[in-house]
Amino acid sequence: MIKSLVAAAAMLALGTVSATAGPGDDPSSSVKAETVAAAIAQLGYATSMHKDAKGDPHIVVTDKPGNVAKMAVFFADCGSWGCEDLTFYAGYTPTKKATTAKMNEWNHITSNLRSRASISGDGDKPSGEPGIAMTVSLMTDADADKLAILAGVFVVESQMFADTLAK
């Protein structure tokens, strides 16, 4: 905890964090939704832009990859410049093959996957929509190529997760 406080104080002292800027107000740590949509388009996928209840951007991948029921990008910590956090999400049709054991195996540290799996439902017998999500933070509009790579990694993992659910 003390190390974290010292690091935060050092960042303030060096001017890397503005005391007056709110989330999404700094172009050195925020990305516009349009930049993310363009990065996804580099992979050949079409998107549609929306706003959530808070007014934050929300991207839906309209021609999602096979075996995925829905795919979207959610944004958080948004401000005048853009958003500091974005989460790629893929949802799948509920299936009895989606067990907590499969979710735990996917999420295990040795799996070396960037996405994390979840499923809603009761205890050991979940019955809701399984899904995976990958959160990326502090990207900028200059990181469009990196965002395209990360989106590509997420698409690959979405297909890997579909295969995992099929077994």
Side-chain angles (χ1 to χ4, degrees), residues 139-154:
M139 300 298 275
T140 70
D141 288 339
D143 295 321
D145 289 341
K146 291 177 187 174
L147 284 163
I149 291 168
L150 290 170
V153 167
F154 185 74

Side-chain angles (χ1 to χ4, degrees), residues 73-145:
V73 182
F74 301 96
F75 294 82
D77 295 327
C78 300
S80 61
W81 181 263
C83 302
E84 293 179 1
D85 300 302
L86 61 101
T87 300
F88 294 97
Y89 175 79
Y92 301 81
T93 305
T95 174
K96 291 182 182 194
K97 292 181 178 183
T99 63
T100 53
K102 281 187 182 181
M103 302 300 122
N104 289 339
E105 181 180 324
W106 184 268
N107 294 334
H108 195 275
I109 192 72
T110 60
S111 69
N112 292 320
L113 297 165
R114 286 174 168 66
S115 61
R116 292 293 165 245
S118 63
I119 186 169
S120 60
D122 296 328
D124 292 335
K125 297 185 181 186
S127 59
E129 175 183 276
I132 60 169
M134 179 177 75
T135 299
V136 178
S137 299
L138 307 174
M139 300 298 275
T140 70
D141 288 339
D143 295 321
D145 289 341

Side-chain angles (χ1 to χ4, degrees), residues 4-72:
S4 297
L5 291 173
V6 170
M11 289 174 67
L12 280 171
L14 294 173
T16 58
V17 176
S18 170
T20 59
D25 290 338
D26 184 351
S28 70
S29 62
S30 303
V31 65
K32 291 181 177 82
E34 294 79 10
T35 301
V36 177
I40 294 169
Q42 286 184 37
L43 302 174
Y45 295 103
T47 61
S48 61
M49 299 289 287
H50 305 273
K51 297 275 184 184
D52 68 14
K54 293 181 182 179
D56 290 340
H58 168 105
I59 297 172
V60 173
V61 180
T62 55
D63 61 343
K64 63 201 172 301
N67 302 324
V68 176
K70 54 185 143 183
M71 186 173 274

